[in-house]
Structure formats: structure tokens, C-alpha cells
């Protein structure tokens, strides 16, 4: 077993957000999907993203507002959202003081 | 986009724990891996489990103590653990009052 703590992972800047891709853990074939943590600072939003892979995200800290073509949905800590293949999305952190951290598998 | 709230999902009893498998959401091929939420009541432990699929779990509420052959590891809210294929595991909730809820992908 291996454990992973987002607070002890190496994050890189990606536009307005910080991203910790799990390639840094060198898991290899032990996990059949890609994964990352990402953090949206207070008051910030991710850049618009759109990719072929469906993406499942879980809010692990803070509250997310996820914008897709059909509107904006609030997603609280512990809840998840699944983006379809090629579904454009922006993740907003509308709080003034708390970072928003998510785990994504894709 | 679809959202999933563990608090609004249908859990079934599985020994001492409650499990909400994502088959209930009928996502079909939109997600390339299996997923579930599960809750370990205060003071309880999961049954020993062991299966061919590697399993990635994230603690979304409470604190987990994950037991494998090499020992017991504390995993806090927001952190993750990855079990190898065929790695036997038991998840303990050592608190007296707070449920332990996890999300697993496999």
C-alpha cells in the first residue's frame, strides 16, 4: 500500500491554479488511470479546459463551482462530478479565504 | 456533467460497513473504472478484503486506519491510499462518534 497526501505533494503552477500530477509518484502500471490533485486559490478560476478523456473529480477541501455549457453547479467537499469526453469546463473558487482542492482521475 | 453526493446515494449493508456502488448511477461507458463510496461506522472495521483490481481510495470524511500485512497507517481526510492487486486490507474507524467515509476507484 502507498499513501498520498495532497499537502505533501509537489505542485506546479498551471495558469491560475496549482497542479500535482501523480506521475511524480511513479506508480507505473499499478493504477489503471491518470490522477492529479489541483488547487484553485481563493477568488480564482481554472482556465477553460476540454479534453478527450472523461474526468472524475472529488472536492477534498473547499467548495467548487463547476461551469459547463449548461450552467454552474456547486459541488461541496466530499462530493464528485464527472465531466464527459470533450466537455469544456471551468472550476471557480468563489470564497475569499479558503483554497479549493480537488482530486481528479481520468 | 453529472454530480454525485455521497449523502444522497443509496447505501447497502455489506457486513459492518455501508457501500454505495456507482452502478446505481448508470453511467455506462462514460467512466473507465468502477467506483463506490463506503462508510465505516464509529468503532467499526471493514471485513478483510482482497481482490485482483488495484484500488485507490480517498478519505472524504473522518480518519481511516488502513491495515495491510506490513502494518496500520493513518489516512486523514483528503488523503488517498492505493492498494496493490491482491493486497489484503481492513479499514478501521477508531473514533467513537464520527463516521468514516471513503471514495474508491478500481
Amino acid at each position: 500500500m502507498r499513501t498520498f497526501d495532497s499537502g505533501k505533494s509537489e505542485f506546479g503552477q498551471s495558469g491560475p491554479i496549482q497542479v500535482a500530477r501523480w506521475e511524480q509518484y511513479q506508480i507505473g502500471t499499478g493504477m489503471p488511470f491518470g490522477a492529479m490533485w489541483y488547487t484553485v486559490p481563493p477568488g480564482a478560476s481554472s482556465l477553460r479546459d476540454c479534453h478527450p478523456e472523461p474526468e472524475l473529480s472529488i472536492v477534498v477541501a473547499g467548495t467548487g463551482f463547476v461551469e459547463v455549457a449548461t450552467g454552474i453547479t456547486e459541488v461541496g467537499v466530499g462530493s464528485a462530478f464527472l465531466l464527459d469526453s470533450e466537455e469544456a469546463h471551468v472550476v471557480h473558487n468563489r470564497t475569499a479565504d479558503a483554497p479549493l482542492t480537488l482530486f481528479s482521475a481520468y
Side-chain angles (χ1 to χ4, degrees), chain A residues 1-66:
Chain A
M1 183 181 70
R2 291 185 61 182
T3 59
F4 309 96
D5 180 342
S6 64
K8 292 177 184 164
S9 299
E10 193 169 313
F11 283 74
Q13 199 73 27
S14 175
I17 69 172
Q18 289 92 40
V19 176
R21 293 194 180 271
W22 280 36
E23 281 81 353
Q24 70 185 274
Y25 301 131
Q26 304 190 330
I27 298 171
T29 58
M31 204 167 75
F33 41 84
M36 63 179 178
W37 309 101
Y38 66 97
T39 295
V40 185
S45 299
S46 66
L47 299 180
R48 183 179 178 279
D49 198 16
C50 188
H51 41 73
E53 305 84 10
E55 180 179 355
L56 177 76
S57 299
I58 300 171
V59 176
V60 298
T63 300
F65 288 84
V66 186

Coordinates of all heavy atoms in Angstrom, one line a residue, chain A residues 1-66:
Chain A
M1 N 0.8 -1.2 0.0 CA 0.0 0.0 0.0 C 0.9 1.2 0.0 O 1.9 1.3 0.7 CB -0.9 0.0 1.2 CG -1.8 1.2 1.2 SD -2.9 1.3 2.7 CE -1.7 1.7 4.0
R2 N 0.4 2.2 -0.7 CA 1.1 3.6 -0.7 C 0.0 4.6 -0.3 O -1.1 4.5 -0.7 CB 1.7 3.9 -2.0 CG 2.9 3.1 -2.4 CD 3.5 3.5 -3.7 NE 4.0 4.9 -3.6 CZ 4.5 5.6 -4.6 NH1 4.7 5.0 -5.8 NH2 4.9 6.8 -4.5
T3 N 0.5 5.6 0.4 CA -0.5 6.7 0.7 C 0.0 8.0 0.1 O 1.2 8.2 -0.2 CB -0.5 6.9 2.3 OG1 0.8 7.2 2.8 CG2 -1.1 5.7 3.0
F4 N -0.9 8.9 -0.1 CA -0.7 10.1 -0.9 C -1.4 11.3 -0.2 O -2.6 11.2 0.1 CB -1.2 10.0 -2.3 CG -0.7 8.8 -3.0 CD1 -1.5 7.6 -3.0 CD2 0.5 8.7 -3.6 CE1 -1.0 6.5 -3.7 CE2 1.0 7.6 -4.2 CZ 0.2 6.4 -4.2
D5 N -0.6 12.3 0.2 CA -1.2 13.4 0.9 C -1.0 14.6 0.1 O 0.1 15.0 -0.3 CB -0.4 13.5 2.3 CG -0.8 14.7 3.1 OD1 -1.5 15.6 2.6 OD2 -0.5 14.7 4.3
S6 N -2.1 15.2 -0.3 CA -2.0 16.4 -1.2 C -1.1 17.5 -0.6 O -0.4 18.2 -1.3 CB -3.4 16.9 -1.5 OG -4.0 17.4 -0.4
G7 N -1.2 17.6 0.7 CA -0.4 18.6 1.4 C 1.1 18.4 1.3 O 1.9 19.3 1.5
K8 N 1.5 17.2 1.0 CA 3.0 16.9 0.9 C 3.4 16.6 -0.6 O 4.5 16.1 -0.8 CB 3.3 15.7 1.8 CG 3.1 16.0 3.2 CD 3.4 14.8 4.1 CE 3.1 15.1 5.6 NZ 3.0 13.8 6.4
S9 N 2.5 16.9 -1.5 CA 2.9 16.7 -2.9 C 3.5 17.9 -3.6 O 3.3 19.0 -3.1 CB 1.6 16.2 -3.7 OG 1.0 15.1 -3.1
E10 N 4.1 17.7 -4.7 CA 4.8 18.7 -5.4 C 3.8 19.3 -6.4 O 3.4 18.6 -7.4 CB 6.0 18.2 -6.1 CG 6.9 19.3 -6.6 CD 8.3 18.7 -7.1 OE1 8.8 17.9 -6.3 OE2 8.7 19.0 -8.2
F11 N 3.4 20.6 -6.2 CA 2.5 21.3 -7.1 C 3.3 22.2 -8.0 O 4.2 22.8 -7.6 CB 1.5 22.1 -6.3 CG 0.4 21.3 -5.7 CD1 0.7 20.5 -4.5 CD2 -0.9 21.3 -6.2 CE1 -0.3 19.8 -3.9 CE2 -1.9 20.6 -5.6 CZ -1.6 19.8 -4.5
G12 N 2.8 22.2 -9.3 CA 3.4 23.2 -10.3 C 2.3 24.2 -10.7 O 1.1 23.8 -10.7
Q13 N 2.7 25.4 -11.0 CA 1.7 26.4 -11.5 C 1.2 26.0 -12.9 O 2.0 25.7 -13.7 CB 2.4 27.8 -11.5 CG 1.4 28.9 -11.4 CD 0.7 29.1 -10.1 OE1 1.3 28.7 -9.0 NE2 -0.5 29.6 -10.1
S14 N -0.1 26.1 -13.1 CA -0.7 25.9 -14.4 C -1.7 27.0 -14.6 O -2.9 26.8 -14.2 CB -1.3 24.5 -14.4 OG -2.0 24.3 -15.7
G15 N -1.3 28.1 -15.2 CA -2.2 29.3 -15.2 C -2.5 29.7 -13.8 O -1.6 29.8 -13.0
P16 N -3.7 29.9 -13.5 CA -4.1 30.4 -12.2 C -4.1 29.3 -11.1 O -4.4 29.6 -9.9 CB -5.5 31.0 -12.4 CG -5.9 30.7 -13.8 CD -4.9 29.8 -14.4
I17 N -4.0 28.1 -11.5 CA -4.1 27.0 -10.5 C -2.8 26.3 -10.3 O -1.9 26.4 -11.0 CB -5.2 26.0 -10.9 CG1 -4.8 25.2 -12.1 CG2 -6.6 26.8 -11.1 CD1 -5.8 24.1 -12.4
Q18 N -2.8 25.5 -9.2 CA -1.6 24.6 -8.9 C -2.0 23.2 -9.1 O -3.1 22.7 -8.6 CB -1.1 24.8 -7.5 CG -0.4 26.2 -7.2 CD -1.4 27.2 -6.8 OE1 -2.3 27.0 -5.9 NE2 -1.3 28.5 -7.3
V19 N -1.2 22.4 -9.8 CA -1.5 21.1 -10.2 C -0.4 20.1 -9.7 O 0.8 20.4 -9.9 CB -1.6 20.9 -11.7 CG1 -1.9 19.5 -12.1 CG2 -2.8 21.8 -12.2
A20 N -0.8 19.0 -9.1 CA 0.2 18.0 -8.7 C -0.2 16.7 -9.4 O -1.2 16.0 -9.0 CB 0.2 17.8 -7.2
R21 N 0.5 16.4 -10.5 CA 0.1 15.2 -11.3 C 0.8 14.0 -10.6 O 1.9 14.1 -10.0 CB 0.6 15.3 -12.7 CG -0.2 16.4 -13.5 CD 0.0 16.3 -15.0 NE -0.8 17.3 -15.6 CZ -2.1 17.2 -16.0 NH1 -2.7 16.0 -15.8 NH2 -2.7 18.2 -16.6
W22 N 0.1 12.9 -10.6 CA 0.6 11.7 -9.9 C 1.7 11.0 -10.6 O 2.2 10.0 -10.0 CB -0.6 10.8 -9.6 CG -1.5 11.2 -8.5 CD1 -1.8 12.5 -8.1 CD2 -2.1 10.4 -7.5 NE1 -2.5 12.5 -7.0 CE2 -2.7 11.2 -6.6 CE3 -2.1 9.0 -7.3 CZ2 -3.5 10.7 -5.5 CZ3 -2.9 8.5 -6.2 CH2 -3.5 9.4 -5.3
E23 N 2.1 11.5 -11.8 CA 3.3 10.9 -12.4 C 4.5 11.0 -11.4 O 5.4 10.2 -11.4 CB 3.6 11.6 -13.7 CG 2.8 11.2 -14.9 CD 1.4 11.8 -14.9 OE1 1.0 12.5 -14.0 OE2 0.7 11.5 -15.9
Q24 N 4.5 12.1 -10.5 CA 5.5 12.3 -9.6 C 5.7 11.1 -8.6 O 6.8 10.9 -8.0 CB 5.3 13.6 -8.8 CG 4.2 13.5 -7.8 CD 3.9 14.9 -7.1 OE1 4.6 15.2 -6.1 NE2 3.0 15.7 -7.7
Y25 N 4.7 10.3 -8.4 CA 4.7 9.2 -7.5 C 5.3 7.9 -8.2 O 5.5 6.9 -7.5 CB 3.4 8.9 -6.9 CG 2.7 10.0 -6.2 CD1 1.4 10.4 -6.5 CD2 3.4 10.7 -5.2 CE1 0.8 11.4 -5.8 CE2 2.8 11.8 -4.5 CZ 1.5 12.1 -4.8 OH 0.9 13.1 -4.2
Q26 N 5.4 8.0 -9.5 CA 6.0 6.8 -10.2 C 5.3 5.5 -9.9 O 6.0 4.5 -9.5 CB 7.5 6.8 -10.0 CG 8.2 8.1 -10.4 CD 9.7 8.0 -10.4 OE1 10.3 7.2 -9.7 NE2 10.3 8.8 -11.3
I27 N 4.0 5.5 -10.0 CA 3.2 4.3 -9.7 C 3.3 3.3 -10.8 O 3.2 2.1 -10.5 CB 1.7 4.7 -9.4 CG1 1.7 5.7 -8.2 CG2 0.9 3.5 -9.2 CD1 0.3 6.3 -8.0
G28 N 3.5 3.7 -12.0 CA 3.6 2.8 -13.1 C 2.3 2.2 -13.4 O 1.3 2.8 -13.4
T29 N 2.3 0.9 -13.6 CA 1.1 0.2 -14.1 C 0.2 -0.2 -12.9 O -0.8 -0.8 -13.1 CB 1.4 -1.1 -14.9 OG1 2.2 -1.9 -14.0 CG2 2.2 -0.7 -16.1
G30 N 0.6 0.2 -11.7 CA -0.2 -0.2 -10.5 C -1.6 0.5 -10.4 O -2.4 0.2 -9.6
M31 N -1.8 1.6 -11.3 CA -3.0 2.3 -11.2 C -3.5 2.5 -12.7 O -2.8 3.0 -13.5 CB -2.9 3.6 -10.5 CG -4.2 4.2 -10.0 SD -3.9 5.6 -8.9 CE -3.6 6.9 -10.0
P32 N -4.7 2.0 -13.0 CA -5.1 1.9 -14.4 C -5.8 3.2 -14.9 O -6.5 3.2 -15.8 CB -6.2 0.8 -14.3 CG -6.7 0.8 -13.0 CD -5.6 1.3 -12.1
F33 N -5.4 4.3 -14.3 CA -5.9 5.6 -14.8 C -5.0 6.7 -14.3 O -4.2 6.5 -13.3 CB -7.4 5.9 -14.3 CG -7.6 5.5 -12.9 CD1 -7.3 6.4 -11.8 CD2 -8.2 4.3 -12.5 CE1 -7.6 6.1 -10.5 CE2 -8.4 3.9 -11.2 CZ -8.1 4.8 -10.2
G34 N -5.0 7.9 -15.0 CA -4.3 9.0 -14.6 C -4.9 9.7 -13.4 O -6.1 9.6 -13.2
A35 N -4.1 10.5 -12.6 CA -4.7 11.2 -11.5 C -3.9 12.4 -11.2 O -2.7 12.6 -11.5 CB -4.7 10.2 -10.3
M36 N -4.6 13.4 -10.6 CA -3.9 14.6 -10.1 C -4.7 15.2 -9.0 O -5.9 14.9 -8.8 CB -3.8 15.6 -11.2 CG -5.1 16.1 -11.8 SD -4.8 17.3 -13.1 CE -6.5 17.7 -13.6
W37 N -4.0 16.0 -8.2 CA -4.6 16.9 -7.2 C -4.5 18.3 -7.9 O -3.6 18.6 -8.6 CB -3.8 17.1 -5.9 CG -3.5 15.9 -5.2 CD1 -2.2 15.3 -5.2 CD2 -4.3 15.1 -4.3 NE1 -2.2 14.2 -4.3 CE2 -3.5 14.1 -3.8 CE3 -5.6 15.2 -3.9 CZ2 -4.0 13.1 -2.9 CZ3 -6.1 14.3 -3.0 CH2 -5.3 13.2 -2.5
Y38 N -5.5 19.2 -7.7 CA -5.3 20.6 -8.1 C -6.0 21.5 -7.1 O -7.0 21.1 -6.5 CB -5.6 20.8 -9.6 CG -7.1 20.7 -10.0 CD1 -7.9 21.8 -10.1 CD2 -7.7 19.5 -10.3 CE1 -9.2 21.8 -10.5 CE2 -9.0 19.4 -10.7 CZ -9.8 20.5 -10.8 OH -11.1 20.4 -11.2
T39 N -5.4 22.7 -7.0 CA -5.8 23.7 -6.1 C -6.1 25.0 -6.8 O -5.3 25.5 -7.6 CB -4.8 23.9 -5.0 OG1 -4.6 22.7 -4.2 CG2 -5.2 25.0 -4.0
V40 N -7.4 25.5 -6.6 CA -7.8 26.8 -7.1 C -7.7 27.8 -6.0 O -8.4 27.6 -5.0 CB -9.2 26.7 -7.7 CG1 -9.6 28.0 -8.4 CG2 -9.3 25.6 -8.7
P41 N -6.9 28.8 -6.0 CA -6.7 29.8 -4.9 C -8.1 30.5 -4.7 O -8.9 30.6 -5.6 CB -5.6 30.7 -5.4 CG -4.9 30.0 -6.5 CD -5.9 29.1 -7.1
P42 N -8.2 31.1 -3.5 CA -9.4 31.9 -3.2 C -9.7 33.0 -4.3 O -8.7 33.7 -4.7 CB -9.1 32.6 -1.9 CG -8.1 31.6 -1.3 CD -7.3 31.1 -2.4
G43 N -10.9 33.0 -4.8 CA -11.3 34.0 -5.8 C -10.8 33.7 -7.2 O -11.2 34.5 -8.1
A44 N -10.1 32.6 -7.4 CA -9.6 32.3 -8.7 C -10.5 31.3 -9.5 O -11.4 30.7 -8.9 CB -8.2 31.8 -8.6
S45 N -10.1 31.1 -10.7 CA -10.8 30.2 -11.6 C -9.8 29.4 -12.4 O -8.8 30.0 -12.8 CB -11.8 30.8 -12.5 OG -12.8 31.5 -11.8
S46 N -10.0 28.2 -12.7 CA -9.1 27.5 -13.6 C -9.3 28.1 -15.0 O -10.3 28.7 -15.3 CB -9.5 26.0 -13.7 OG -10.8 25.8 -14.2
L47 N -8.4 27.8 -15.9 CA -8.6 28.1 -17.3 C -9.6 27.2 -17.9 O -9.8 26.1 -17.4 CB -7.3 28.0 -18.1 CG -6.1 29.0 -17.6 CD1 -4.9 28.7 -18.5 CD2 -6.6 30.4 -17.7
R48 N -10.3 27.6 -18.9 CA -11.2 26.7 -19.6 C -10.4 25.5 -20.1 O -9.4 25.6 -20.8 CB -11.9 27.4 -20.8 CG -13.0 26.6 -21.5 CD -13.5 27.5 -22.6 NE -14.5 26.8 -23.4 CZ -14.2 26.0 -24.4 NH1 -13.0 25.8 -24.7 NH2 -15.2 25.4 -25.1
D49 N -10.9 24.3 -19.8 CA -10.3 23.0 -20.2 C -11.2 22.1 -20.9 O -12.4 22.2 -20.7 CB -9.7 22.4 -18.9 CG -8.6 21.3 -19.2 OD1 -8.0 21.4 -20.4 OD2 -8.3 20.5 -18.4
C50 N -10.7 21.3 -21.8 CA -11.5 20.5 -22.6 C -10.6 19.4 -23.2 O -9.6 19.7 -23.8 CB -12.1 21.3 -23.8 SG -13.4 20.4 -24.7
H51 N -11.0 18.1 -23.0 CA -10.1 17.0 -23.4 C -10.9 15.7 -23.7 O -12.0 15.6 -23.2 CB -9.0 16.8 -22.4 CG -9.5 16.8 -21.0 ND1 -10.3 15.8 -20.4 CD2 -9.4 17.8 -20.0 CE1 -10.6 16.2 -19.2 NE2 -10.1 17.4 -18.9
P52 N -10.3 14.8 -24.5 CA -11.0 13.6 -24.8 C -11.3 12.7 -23.7 O -12.4 12.0 -23.7 CB -10.0 12.9 -25.8 CG -8.9 13.8 -26.1 CD -8.9 14.9 -25.1
E53 N -10.5 12.7 -22.6 CA -10.8 11.8 -21.5 C -11.9 12.2 -20.6 O -12.0 13.4 -20.3 CB -9.5 11.7 -20.6 CG -8.2 11.3 -21.3 CD -7.5 12.5 -21.9 OE1 -7.9 13.7 -21.6 OE2 -6.6 12.3 -22.6
P54 N -12.9 11.4 -20.3 CA -13.8 11.7 -19.2 C -13.0 12.0 -18.0 O -11.9 11.3 -17.8 CB -14.7 10.4 -19.1 CG -14.4 9.6 -20.3 CD -13.0 10.0 -20.8
E55 N -13.5 12.9 -17.1 CA -12.7 13.2 -15.9 C -13.6 13.2 -14.7 O -14.6 13.8 -14.7 CB -12.1 14.6 -16.1 CG -11.3 15.1 -14.9 CD -10.7 16.5 -15.1 OE1 -10.8 17.0 -16.2 OE2 -10.1 17.0 -14.1
L56 N -13.2 12.4 -13.7 CA -14.0 12.4 -12.4 C -13.2 13.2 -11.4 O -12.0 12.9 -11.2 CB -14.1 10.9 -12.0 CG -14.8 10.8 -10.6 CD1 -16.3 11.1 -10.8 CD2 -14.6 9.5 -10.0
S57 N -13.9 14.1 -10.7 CA -13.2 14.9 -9.7 C -14.0 14.8 -8.4 O -15.2 14.7 -8.4 CB -13.2 16.4 -10.1 OG -12.4 16.6 -11.3
I58 N -13.2 14.9 -7.3 CA -13.8 14.9 -6.0 C -13.3 16.1 -5.2 O -12.1 16.3 -5.2 CB -13.5 13.6 -5.2 CG1 -14.0 12.4 -6.0 CG2 -14.0 13.6 -3.8 CD1 -13.5 11.1 -5.4
V59 N -14.1 16.9 -4.6 CA -13.7 18.0 -3.8 C -13.2 17.5 -2.5 O -14.0 16.9 -1.8 CB -14.9 19.0 -3.6 CG1 -14.4 20.2 -2.8 CG2 -15.4 19.5 -5.0
V60 N -11.9 17.8 -2.2 CA -11.4 17.3 -0.9 C -11.2 18.5 0.1 O -11.0 18.2 1.3 CB -10.1 16.5 -1.1 CG1 -10.3 15.3 -1.9 CG2 -9.0 17.3 -1.7
A61 N -11.3 19.7 -0.4 CA -11.3 20.8 0.6 C -11.9 22.0 -0.1 O -11.7 22.3 -1.3 CB -9.8 21.2 1.0
G62 N -12.7 22.8 0.6 CA -13.4 23.9 0.0 C -14.7 23.6 -0.7 O -15.2 22.5 -0.6
T63 N -15.2 24.5 -1.5 CA -16.4 24.4 -2.3 C -16.1 24.8 -3.7 O -15.6 25.9 -3.9 CB -17.5 25.2 -1.7 OG1 -17.8 24.8 -0.3 CG2 -18.8 25.0 -2.5
G64 N -16.5 23.9 -4.6 CA -16.3 24.3 -6.0 C -17.5 24.7 -6.7 O -18.6 24.3 -6.4
F65 N -17.3 25.6 -7.7 CA -18.4 26.0 -8.6 C -18.0 25.6 -10.0 O -17.0 26.2 -10.5 CB -18.8 27.4 -8.5 CG -19.5 27.8 -7.2 CD1 -18.7 28.0 -6.0 CD2 -20.9 27.8 -7.1 CE1 -19.4 28.3 -4.8 CE2 -21.5 28.1 -5.9 CZ -20.8 28.4 -4.8
V66 N -18.6 24.6 -10.6 CA -18.1 24.0 -11.8 C -19.0 24.5 -13.0 O -20.2 24.3 -13.0 CB -18.1 22.5 -11.8 CG1 -17.5 21.9 -13.0 CG2 -17.4 22.0 -10.5

